[in-house]
Amino acid sequence: GQNIDQPTEMTATEGAIVQINCTYQTSGFNGLFWYQQHAGEAPTFLSYNVLDGLEEKGRFSSFLSRSKGYSYLLLKELQMKDSASYLCAVRPYSGSQGNLIFGKGTKLSVKP
Amino acid sequence: DTEVTQTPKHLVMGMTNKKSLKCEQHMGHRAMYWYKQKAKKPPELMFVYSYEKLSINESVPSRFSPECPNSSLLNLHLHALQPEDSALYLCASSQEWNPNNEQFFGPGTRLTVL
């Protein structure tokens, strides 16, 4: 089976740094995606990792360790507009080539 | 043009109605997807089209009928829906049906079935 775990909710303060973790057990692995989704809106692509290590894109960074089945999304200099759900999604091999299995999402609330 | 567009934005329909959701992209992507998302849940894959051919149907009831008239358009025809089908329907596309390609999502159609 496929299983992707991430915390349900997190709270952080404006200007701070927050790390959202994601662990996965899937039948195969061919990339991990992070998406941001504001309430009532479609997901927006944030990052993609297929090799181990850190990918940095402005205030957002994503890390992957394939041996540990683990990723995190790091958000720096938090802004109020970063309040959203963050979805971790994995592309496994078998039976779903090219498709994504989503985690349940982490709802991040940024407080002043 | 780097957008996936969807129409309508909102749709309210009765259980006996027939309606269609439309999705369009002009990025030259050859894979297009339909997802269903209930409130506070992650998106669930429904269908995948690759080069205008249906490649995956994730055991979706026949009251949902996808159609890909050409490489830029993807429709979802709805007939005899149930109230539990009320959800956000998301369309996405990627360059190829390939593990290394990111998927771009449209804004979604919020469907309410009365």
Side-chain angles (χ1 to χ4, degrees):
Chain A
Q2 324 282 21
N3 193 43
I4 300 175
D5 285 314
Q6 46 182 135
T8 305
E9 290 187 53
M10 297 182 73
T11 303
T13 307
E14 195 175 12
I17 299 173
V18 72
Q19 177 174 313
I20 303 174
N21 295 327
C22 172
T23 56
Y24 62 89
Q25 299 92 39
T26 54
S27 54
F29 179 81
N30 219 336
L32 186 144
F33 295 73
W34 283 97
Y35 285 85
Q36 179 192 62
Q37 187 172 29
H38 287 96
E41 296 182 14
T44 304
F45 170 78
L46 290 179
S47 69
Y48 168 65
N49 294 71
V50 67
L51 298 175
D52 290 351
L54 189 69
E55 295 278 343
E56 295 189 81
K57 264 188 179 184
R59 293 191 300 115
F60 294 75
S61 303
S62 57
F63 171 83
L64 175 68
S65 168
R66 288 171 295 170
S67 62
K68 294 179 180 170
Y70 167 69
S71 171
Y72 67 71
L73 180 70
L74 193 73
L75 294 81
K76 302 176 191 171
E77 300 167 19
L78 279 175
Q79 302 174 10
M80 298 299 289
K81 67 179 182 180
D82 296 329
S83 293
S85 284
Y86 290 86
L87 300 168
C88 172
V90 171
R91 229 197 271 281
Y93 288 110
S94 57
S96 59
Q97 181 181 356
N99 307 323
L100 299 177
I101 308 294
F102 284 87
K104 289 187 165 60
T106 299
K107 184 178 177 184
L108 175 66
S109 299
V110 180
K111 309 274 186 215
Chain B
D1 186 352
T2 56
E3 274 192 314
V4 177
T5 58
Q6 289 186 244
T7 54
K9 196 171 179 180
H10 299 276
L11 178 63
V12 180
M13 60 187 289
M15 288 190 283
T16 57
N17 292 157
K18 282 186 184 179
K19 296 284 183 185
S20 296
L21 308 185
K22 296 186 185 303
C23 174
E24 192 166 359
Q25 56 87 16
H26 294 287
M27 294 180 278
H29 288 177
R30 303 315 299 267
M32 295 185 78
Y33 309 77
W34 279 115
Y35 287 86
K36 173 183 176 179
Q37 187 174 24
K38 302 281 279 185
K40 299 184 181 179
K41 300 282 187 186
E44 295 175 18
L45 183 67
M46 299 174 73
F47 301 105
V48 179
Y49 271 83
S50 176
Y51 286 85
E52 296 139 62
K53 287 188 169 50
L54 183 64
S55 300
I56 288 205
N57 176 342
E58 291 284 309
S59 303
V60 179
S62 59
R63 57 186 185 268
F64 295 90
S65 174
E67 180 200 15
C68 191
N70 60 55
S71 59
S72 300
L73 291 173
L74 185 66
N75 299 323
L76 186 63
H77 302 299
L78 314 172
H79 175 54
L81 293 195
Q82 304 295 312
E84 59 264 29
D85 296 322
S86 298
L88 180 69
Y89 287 84
L90 295 164
C91 174
S93 71
S94 62
Q95 195 166 358
E96 298 270 344
W97 187 40
N98 179 296
N100 295 321
N101 293 150
E102 70 180 270
Q103 294 180 6
F104 293 81
F105 283 86
T109 293
R110 188 159 297 284
L111 174 68
T112 303
V113 181
L114 301 176

